[in-house]
Amino acid sequence: MKNILILFIFSLFSFKAISQQITYSQAEADDTRALDFNIIGKVGGNFLVYKNIRNKYAVSVYDNRMKSKNKVDLDFMPDKTINVDFVAYPDFAYIIYQFQKRNILHCMAAAIDGNGKLLKTPFELDTTQISFFADNKIYSTINSEDKSKILIYKIQKKNDKFNFTTLLLNDSLELLHKSRIETPYEEHKDIFSDFFVDDAGNFVFTKGTKLNSRDYLQKLIMVTKGPQDDNFTLNELNLSGNYLDEIKLKVDNVNQQYLINSLFYQKKNGNIEGLYSAVWNKKNDKLVSQNFAEFGDSIREQAKTEGGTRLAFNDYFIRDVILKKDGGFILTAEDHTTQSRGNPWNRYDYLYGYPSFSPFDSYYLYSPSSYWYSSRYPNYYNNSGQVRYYYQNIVVLDLDNTGNLIWSNIVHKSQFDDDNDNFLSYSIMLTGSELHFLFNELERRNQLINDQTVSADGKITRNPPLRSLDRGYEFMPRYAKQVSSYQIIVPCMYRNFICFAKIEY
């Protein structure tokens, strides 16, 4: 009986040990540090990765064992293609790209199958004539959660106004509606959030306003446009004299609402006091709830890495907003700073200090929802001297559908690196009711990827090291992409070559 019990316990541990499995791709000869890449997703049972090396464009195709099946050159894309976006479906993927010929910008589209082969030859979606000195990166592509709607928007600045052009397309890239809208914009004072299109085809974002270029937001406007409308609907939210940080907008298609979140201040140059949350009902086009929730001493004590509790959240930035079926959500924020001999750390510069800030420039910078990796990743907010990057603890907040806090917890980590933060920060893998936080930690002089799980009731579990953690592989979890309900693709560096690891749960 004793032997049977021991065997049963051993089998439980064995099941846990094999519940995560890592499989690596083999690095290709051209996949050096100079490679730019984008993980497209799982298409036709294969994993597709877009690669750009010195303006040579290709799609690499990997099978379920991460063996290279093919590398298809995208010969139809001209040299110096300005930007490329992807919308992936189970059996095919759209490539939407932009290039300039003389003074004409061309927005083009093509479709490929799960083997990287052309299904739909390139065709033109839109063109724009620009002057010699004009910004030539004006097109961006977003898609709805169910991918039934694709929206291409372009923004051109003229006489202190932004001219928006939106092309709403269906999943066959057929034009449903085209709009041209002019809206006031004051540079260095007006800040747009990320742009979204919901499942019904509504275009939505927020516009924040500062008193001057060095302030935080003291005015916030909800901006919406219906799928057949030719104008924006503007609704100002009452901030009750508080000041807002960066705005994180999230579309909740299930409950037909938009979630607005930001860290907030009660006075200029003050400390972060707590979390601002607002819920906007898109069906009735009105504010459902608004809440300024102050952080208590208990969570401040857990969250701080140094200094007093009042300063605990001053270096935190909202990273993820994860929806729940009941209209509530889980929010994560990460402690991040830099240290430089040339410039002291400044939160404002990190958020808004990009040269000639514009909303379409920011769309291509790193964010946890963006899967682009570029070898030329710019360092906008510290541009002189050696920079040391710090990525510390992650705070996890569970909030109800009115923004009231249910529980909170802290995923403890400590990361730093010099002049390169590609191996820092984290990614989230959602499996059922659990959130897996994947991040690197230094153990015995080796960077090992850790997996800590947060359950639905806020309990944190530190899982055993993942299987097949072979020596020499350095993971870049911040550029990972979940490609199915149980698989995530994580880029790695191996002997100065880039490869990809599939983690299966």
Side-chain angles (χ1 to χ4, degrees), residues 224-369:
T224 56
K225 187 190 86 66
Q228 299 298 321
D229 293 345
D230 291 315
N231 52 66
F232 289 134
T233 299
L234 309 178
N235 288 281
E236 184 174 351
L237 283 68
N238 182 9
L239 301 183
S240 304
N242 294 299
Y243 299 87
L244 299 185
D245 205 58
E246 180 186 22
I247 304 297
K248 288 293 183 181
L249 183 65
K250 187 77 172 182
V251 174
D252 182 352
N253 288 291
V254 173
N255 296 285
Q256 297 190 41
Q257 59 191 21
Y258 307 126
L259 305 178
I260 305 167
N261 287 283
S262 174
L263 300 172
F264 78 91
Y265 310 79
Q266 292 179 341
K267 58 183 179 180
K268 293 182 180 180
N269 303 318
N271 298 311
I272 289 177
E273 299 292 342
L275 179 69
Y276 166 74
S277 296
V279 179
W280 188 271
N281 184 291
K282 72 172 186 176
K283 197 172 183 179
N284 301 322
D285 201 28
K286 68 177 184 180
L287 188 69
V288 175
S289 64
Q290 184 172 245
N291 188 27
F292 290 90
E294 296 185 30
F295 294 134
D297 290 339
S298 176
I299 188 173
R300 287 179 176 274
E301 188 66 34
Q302 293 181 68
K304 74 174 185 177
T305 52
E306 58 182 25
T309 55
R310 297 307 304 168
L311 310 177
F313 281 92
N314 285 1
D315 295 330
Y316 275 82
F317 297 87
I318 297 176
R319 298 302 196 202
D320 302 281
V321 178
I322 300 159
L323 301 175
K324 298 189 295 184
K325 290 182 179 179
D326 62 0
F329 56 96
I330 292 175
L331 181 144
T332 70
E334 185 178 28
D335 186 334
H336 167 54
T337 57
T338 65
Q339 186 180 51
S340 172
R341 293 180 181 178
N343 292 315
W345 167 248
N346 185 292
R347 183 183 185 88
Y348 172 87
D349 288 340
Y350 175 75
L351 286 174
Y352 307 122
Y354 317 126
S356 303
F357 175 86
S358 65
F360 36 89
D361 283 343
S362 66
Y363 184 76
Y364 293 97
L365 297 178
Y366 164 74
S367 74
S369 60

Side-chain angles (χ1 to χ4, degrees), residues 23-28 31 51 62 65-68 473 490 492 494 498-502:
T23 309
Y24 300 95
S25 71
Q26 187 171 353
E28 300 180 38
D31 293 352
K51 297 178 180 180
Y62 301 97
R65 298 172 299 164
M66 295 307 290
K67 301 293 185 183
S68 178
Y473 288 91
V490 186
C492 310
Y494 181 73
I498 292 174
C499 60
F500 300 88
K502 180 191 67 174

Side-chain angles (χ1 to χ4, degrees), residues 411-455:
V411 177
H412 291 279
K413 68 180 179 70
S414 180
Q415 301 172 303
F416 71 90
D417 205 350
D418 293 325
D419 293 329
N420 183 355
D421 60 350
N422 287 328
F423 305 97
L424 308 182
S425 197
Y426 70 96
S427 65
I428 290 178
M429 173 76 179
L430 177 60
T431 58
S433 60
E434 292 184 328
L435 295 176
H436 292 261
F437 287 80
L438 303 175
F439 56 90
N440 289 319
E441 277 199 332
L442 192 64
E443 294 184 14
R444 297 179 182 177
R445 298 185 179 181
N446 293 315
Q447 289 282 1
L448 291 181
I449 192 165
N450 279 258
D451 178 4
Q452 293 195 27
T453 304
V454 179
S455 65

Side-chain angles (χ1 to χ4, degrees), residues 7-186:
L7 182 62
F8 175 71
I9 294 173
F10 179 77
S11 66
L12 288 179
F13 279 101
S14 298
F15 178 79
K16 180 68 177 179
I18 63 173
S19 62
Q20 301 104 6
Q21 178 70 48
I22 302 180
T23 309
Y24 300 95
S25 71
Q26 187 171 353
E28 300 180 38
D30 291 335
D31 293 352
T32 64
R33 287 180 179 268
L35 176 74
D36 297 343
F37 66 81
N38 185 316
I39 300 170
I40 299 173
K42 190 174 185 178
V43 180
N46 296 322
F47 304 104
L48 304 186
V49 178
Y50 166 79
K51 297 178 180 180
N52 171 15
I53 180 73
R54 294 183 292 274
N55 293 327
K56 299 296 182 184
Y57 314 106
V59 169
S60 287
V61 182
Y62 301 97
D63 65 15
N64 198 48
R65 298 172 299 164
M66 295 307 290
K67 301 293 185 183
S68 178
K69 292 181 66 176
N70 201 2
K71 186 174 182 180
V72 181
D73 292 330
L74 303 178
D75 296 329
F76 56 86
M77 290 171 53
D79 289 347
K80 299 183 179 178
T81 293
I82 298 168
N83 65 275
V84 188
D85 293 301
F86 302 92
V87 184
Y89 295 85
D91 297 319
F92 71 96
Y94 287 125
I95 303 175
I96 300 174
Y97 60 100
Q98 173 189 341
F99 68 90
Q100 181 176 350
K101 189 173 182 180
R102 297 186 178 88
N103 65 332
I104 303 295
L105 287 175
H106 300 264
C107 183
M108 307 288 293
I112 57 174
D113 64 14
N115 292 307
K117 301 296 186 181
L118 269 177
L119 285 176
K120 186 178 288 189
T121 56
F123 63 97
E124 198 164 74
L125 295 172
D126 194 55
T127 61
T128 302
Q129 184 173 345
I130 62 171
S131 64
F132 181 77
F133 295 104
D135 188 347
N136 67 353
K137 191 173 70 174
I138 64 173
Y139 287 100
S140 296
T141 302
I142 53 178
N143 59 267
S144 61
E145 184 180 21
D146 66 1
K147 299 181 182 178
S148 67
K149 305 294 188 300
I150 298 171
L151 189 136
I152 297 172
Y153 63 90
K154 64 179 178 181
I155 308 175
Q156 294 174 283
K157 186 180 179 184
K158 186 178 181 181
N159 300 327
D160 293 327
K161 291 185 177 180
F162 270 163
N163 294 309
F164 280 81
T165 300
T166 63
L167 289 84
L168 182 63
L169 312 167
N170 62 17
D171 53 9
S172 298
L173 292 186
E174 297 169 332
L175 182 64
L176 301 177
H177 190 73
K178 184 173 183 177
S179 299
R180 293 182 177 87
I181 306 172
E182 188 177 77
T183 186
Y185 178 81
E186 191 170 355

